[in-house]
Amino acid sequence: MASTSLLQSTSSTFSGIKLPCRTSVFLRAGFSSVTVKASAGAAVFVDKAEADNVNRLKTSYLEKIVPLLKEEFSYSNILEVPKIDKIVVNCGIGEASQNAKGLDAAMNELALITGQRPVKTKAKKSIAGFKVREGMTLGIAVTLRGNVMYAFLDRLINLALPRTRDFQGVNPNSFDGNGNYSIGFREQSVFPEIKPEIVGKARGMDVCITTTAKTDKEAFRLLTLMGMPFRESSGPSTLIRKKKLKSHHFDSKSRGRR
């Protein structure tokens, strides 16, 4: 698990809202504060006095966010209030699957970021076109729950996302329709645990936040109150998917042309 020193925070500008972040991390990058063109809504940020508390985000959720959600969505039972169930972090290793040292390096880096040892994900079947054999290691993954999950989410929101290059806020339309949200990173170096001068090849990763919310609107509100910096938008929009044409549609057109 990451040390509590990573969670020590001061304040920087975030669309008129005080965003807790670690000043020393940004000083090493060559700037003292970060201005993000994104709207976090009525986010409930933790106090500076709680910076040394590892479970500060969990405490803020139980004491501040739960009553707000219960009042806003008129839940009759406190157990109906949505919460974060788990966070899955996965990383494709690519060419490192053929190199034992590269695989170990990727696992160590993901372990530093998440605070938990990852597991190997293997192919379920062989695909000759991609040179994939059954049982071949294709990536690594970590499933976070409990206090480790809240600590990772805290560092993700307050440290990793503000350090992303040309950051304009995360996409509010990345929900899957069932209250789960996914974020992709091109480089793991946005996390302060990873030193770019030591890491050889840059690796990306995907973060999937699974919630108990029944709708995307509830999940969007939950993550907004936790401080997730969404882009300026009214919220997740409903995508209209085009109907896929089947083979007999093309057959009828070709017969008509003949």
Side-chain angles (χ1 to χ4, degrees):
M1 184 175 179
S3 61
T4 56
S5 62
L6 293 175
L7 300 178
Q8 295 177 354
S9 62
T10 55
S11 62
S12 61
T13 305
F14 184 82
S15 293
I17 303 175
K18 294 296 183 179
L19 173 65
C21 60
R22 190 186 178 196
T23 306
S24 60
V25 174
F26 298 100
L27 289 176
R28 286 182 295 178
F31 46 90
S32 57
S33 62
V34 176
T35 302
V36 181
K37 298 179 181 179
S39 176
V44 180
F45 293 116
V46 296
D47 299 329
K48 286 180 63 177
E50 301 177 1
D52 294 332
N53 185 10
V54 178
N55 300 324
R56 60 178 187 170
L57 186 59
K58 182 178 180 181
T59 303
S60 177
Y61 167 76
L62 295 175
E63 296 179 357
K64 301 176 183 179
I65 298 177
V66 168
L68 290 175
L69 291 175
K70 186 177 180 181
E71 180 180 359
E72 181 175 349
F73 292 96
S74 302
Y75 295 120
S76 59
N77 193 329
I78 195 173
L79 297 178
E80 293 181 291
V81 179
K83 63 180 180 180
I84 298 179
D85 185 26
K86 63 181 179 180
I87 296 179
V88 179
V89 184
N90 60 79
C91 173
I93 56 176
E95 298 177 356
S97 60
Q98 307 294 334
N99 186 0
K101 293 184 179 180
L103 178 59
D104 292 339
M107 295 185 68
N108 291 334
E109 292 170 10
L110 194 58
L112 284 174
I113 294 173
T114 60
Q116 184 173 309
R117 187 71 176 175
V119 296
K120 301 176 183 178
T121 55
K122 300 183 179 181
K124 295 182 179 180
K125 61 180 181 179
S126 301
I127 303 177
F130 294 98
K131 298 181 180 179
V132 175
R133 298 186 303 273
E134 183 179 358
M136 182 179 178
T137 303
L138 299 179
I140 52 180
V142 175
T143 302
L144 304 176
R145 291 184 174 90
N147 295 333
V148 180
M149 175 188 68
Y150 281 102
F152 172 78
L153 184 61
D154 192 0
R155 289 183 290 111
L156 174 71
I157 295 173
N158 299 324
L159 291 179
L161 290 177
R163 296 181 74 215
T164 305
R165 182 180 302 176
D166 299 330
F167 181 66
Q168 301 294 329
V170 294
N171 188 0
N173 297 322
S174 295
F175 290 89
D176 65 345
N178 297 315
N180 304 319
Y181 187 73
S182 299
I183 309 175
F185 290 90
R186 293 183 178 180
E187 296 182 359
Q188 297 178 355
S189 58
V190 294
F191 288 87
E193 296 88 351
I194 304 299
K195 298 181 180 180
E197 61 272 12
I198 297 178
V199 178
K201 184 178 179 180
R203 296 186 181 89
M205 67 179 189
D206 296 323
V207 179
C208 181
I209 303 174
T210 304
T211 69
T212 59
K214 297 181 180 179
T215 62
D216 291 345
K217 182 179 179 180
E218 295 174 275
F220 175 80
R221 186 59 177 161
L222 170 65
L223 294 179
T224 301
L225 291 174
M226 285 189 167
M228 185 67 71
F230 290 103
R231 296 175 189 169
E232 293 183 357
S233 176
S234 59
S237 60
T238 304
L239 298 177
I240 301 177
R241 302 183 182 274
K242 295 182 179 180
K243 185 178 179 181
K244 294 183 178 179
L245 297 178
K246 297 183 179 181
S247 58
H248 63 84
H249 292 133
F250 296 99
D251 294 341
S252 60
K253 293 180 180 179
S254 61
R255 291 172 183 173
R257 292 177 182 176
R258 291 177 184 177

